[in-house]
Amino acid sequence: MRSQNRYHIDTLSVIYFLSLVMLGWINIYAADYDLDGTTPFFDLNQSSTRQLLWIGTSFFLIAVIFILDYRFYDSFGYVIWGVSIFFLLAVLFFGKEVAGSTSWFEIGFIKIQPSEFAKIATAIGLAKYLSSQNVGVSDKYKLGLSAFLFLIPMGLIIMQGDLGTAMVFVSLILVLFREGLSAKLLFFSFYAVLLFLLTLLIDQWVLLFLVLALFLIGLGLFIKNRKALIFIFGLSVLSCGLIKSVDFVLNQVLKEHQQLRVMSLINPNADPLGIGWNVMQSKIAIGSGGFMGKGFLKGTQTKFDFVPAQTTDFIFCTVGEEQGWLGATLIMILFGAFFLRLLTIAERQKSRFVRIFGYSVVSIIFFHFAINIAMTIGLFPVIGIPLPFFSYGGSSLWTFTMLLFILLKLDSQRMEQLEH
């Protein structure tokens, strides 16, 4: 048997990681750069300098991950999940409010966001449960327990006021589909999202009339098919309930600024100097880059701070403005290659635990990537989702780094793992 200390690390994934982190830091530096050139290169007041510190500590975390026995994550999966729940509860009472969310512990100049690390713990806990013997998502009771593992942290994060981070946990549903969840649920999920969006765009009574009309048509077509009639009736009732629930979600669940963000998605010009300012300036910055971009450190929208959160949620604006369509496309291709590599790693595992964890990693990172870019170009409401490895922030960088390298550690010793 191979020695546990003999690793076979996936080199290509490490290259992708280093490339993304390096390109991310370069764009943070570009967003921070002062045109008069008076700011010192190493200045802790600059996001780019602090990001270097987070990058450095990330390598320390990687070392710790590779020192730990690879069986640690499987053996202590529930404990890790439980500890994360404890900190999510603690931050509700002892956390600091930032941008309307009580999601941070503050220690000196360091701020830690437990909800970021809850993503790792939930991925491990879900993999632990789903890889247990006699557990399958076809069993409704066990499916409910699987959902419980990510709905609990999701609910606690919503209580903190951080709807954006909470939404990330929805991506773990994709893991359940990989493990055999019926495609019917996927259909209903897309249908519900589509109907929700249509309810924002079209008058509710018009939609209710359309649902009734479709029900009557279905009744006429399948009058002799009992199962089809039950399905059509159930779908119509659920549709009407969802349509009528939109007002409740908008007015009772979402906060005022979140309501405005949703409405700005429907009508971007409704409040161009208020809630729509970020997205409008973001699209101007990206559009002004043209095909080749304005050049490194030459982005005027970036330099004059027209786009708030330039180094965090809207870091992709810097790419679009300074590197143009070509640079933005190459970055997206790099991300695409990275995701394909992670899927390859997940699929080649002998251990079900590692495969499930691998798909959790892909789901979480891809959700961040897709939603962040959709926010930046105005295809999704602004919900504060960072771009993986690019956006400034210690908690998010550590989370993505740990997710990736826990997977790479487990993959490096896949020949020693027992299938279960």
Side-chain angles (χ1 to χ4, degrees), residues 61-125:
L61 291 175
I62 293 170
V64 171
I65 288 168
F66 275 87
I67 289 171
L68 286 173
D69 190 298
Y70 71 91
R71 290 163 289 204
F72 168 82
Y73 307 100
D74 192 353
S75 301
F76 294 94
Y78 295 138
V79 175
I80 294 170
W81 183 85
V83 170
S84 75
I85 297 300
F86 170 78
F87 282 108
L88 288 178
L89 285 167
V91 80
L92 287 171
F93 298 97
F94 307 107
K96 179 180 176 62
E97 184 173 323
V98 177
S101 301
T102 310
S103 307
W104 302 82
F105 287 122
E106 187 169 7
I107 307 170
F109 69 92
I110 297 176
K111 289 188 291 187
I112 303 295
Q113 190 175 9
S115 56
E116 286 292 332
F117 302 104
K119 299 170 190 175
I120 306 170
T122 302
I124 293 173

Side-chain angles (χ1 to χ4, degrees), residues 263-264 267-272:
M263 299 316 297
S264 70
N267 184 7
N269 299 318
D271 187 18

Side-chain angles (χ1 to χ4, degrees), residues 196 199 204 238-251 253:
F196 183 87
T199 307
Q204 289 187 11
L238 288 173
S239 299
C240 292
L242 180 62
I243 291 169
K244 296 302 293 182
S245 70
V246 171
D247 278 339
F248 173 79
V249 172
L250 283 176
N251 298 318
V253 177

Side-chain angles (χ1 to χ4, degrees), residues 88-329:
L88 288 178
L89 285 167
V91 80
L92 287 171
F93 298 97
F94 307 107
K96 179 180 176 62
E97 184 173 323
V98 177
S101 301
T102 310
S103 307
W104 302 82
F105 287 122
E106 187 169 7
I107 307 170
F109 69 92
I110 297 176
K111 289 188 291 187
I112 303 295
Q113 190 175 9
S115 56
E116 286 292 332
F117 302 104
K119 299 170 190 175
I120 306 170
T122 302
I124 293 173
L126 185 63
K128 172 68 174 177
Y129 178 71
L130 288 177
S131 62
S132 302
Q133 289 186 349
N134 302 319
V135 171
V137 293
S138 57
D139 185 314
K140 293 181 180 179
Y141 173 73
K142 291 174 181 177
L143 173 61
L145 288 177
S146 302
F148 169 85
L149 288 169
F150 61 83
L151 289 176
I152 292 300
M154 184 177 174
L156 291 173
I157 294 168
I158 289 174
M159 291 173 64
Q160 295 170 13
D162 189 358
L163 183 63
T165 300
M167 288 179 64
V168 174
F169 290 81
V170 176
S171 68
L172 294 175
I173 293 176
L174 298 175
V175 179
L176 301 182
F177 284 111
R178 171 58 183 84
E179 294 306 305
L181 190 63
S182 172
K184 292 180 181 178
L185 186 56
L186 182 62
F187 164 77
F188 282 119
S189 300
F190 280 117
Y191 176 75
V193 171
L194 177 62
L195 195 59
F196 183 87
L197 293 175
L198 287 175
T199 307
L200 296 174
L201 294 167
I202 303 173
D203 184 87
Q204 289 187 11
W205 291 107
V206 174
L207 280 179
L208 288 171
F209 175 78
L210 288 174
V211 170
L212 177 61
L214 291 173
F215 170 72
L216 293 175
I217 292 171
L219 192 64
L221 292 174
F222 300 99
I223 190 67
K224 296 181 180 181
N225 189 329
R226 185 179 177 184
K227 288 185 178 180
L229 288 178
I230 293 173
F231 172 78
I232 293 169
F233 176 76
L235 184 62
S236 300
V237 171
L238 288 173
S239 299
C240 292
L242 180 62
I243 291 169
K244 296 302 293 182
S245 70
V246 171
D247 278 339
F248 173 79
V249 172
L250 283 176
N251 298 318
Q252 303 298 325
V253 177
L254 300 182
K255 294 184 177 181
E256 184 178 358
H257 69 281
Q258 293 168 337
Q259 296 171 21
L260 292 172
R261 285 173 179 174
V262 172
M263 299 316 297
S264 70
L265 177 66
I266 305 304
N267 184 7
N269 299 318
D271 187 18
L273 299 179
I275 201 67
W277 173 264
N278 286 17
V279 174
M280 183 179 71
Q281 294 300 321
S282 171
K283 292 193 287 187
I284 290 172
I286 293 173
S288 68
F291 181 76
M292 296 292 292
K294 298 176 181 177
F296 184 55
L297 304 180
K298 294 180 180 179
T300 53
Q301 295 292 117
T302 296
K303 298 300 169 290
F304 294 111
D305 297 325
F306 282 103
V307 183
Q310 182 79 56
T311 61
T312 52
D313 298 346
F314 287 90
I315 188 64
F316 195 69
C317 296
T318 307
V319 179
E321 183 178 20
E322 297 195 347
Q323 311 306 322
W325 179 89
L326 182 61
T329 301

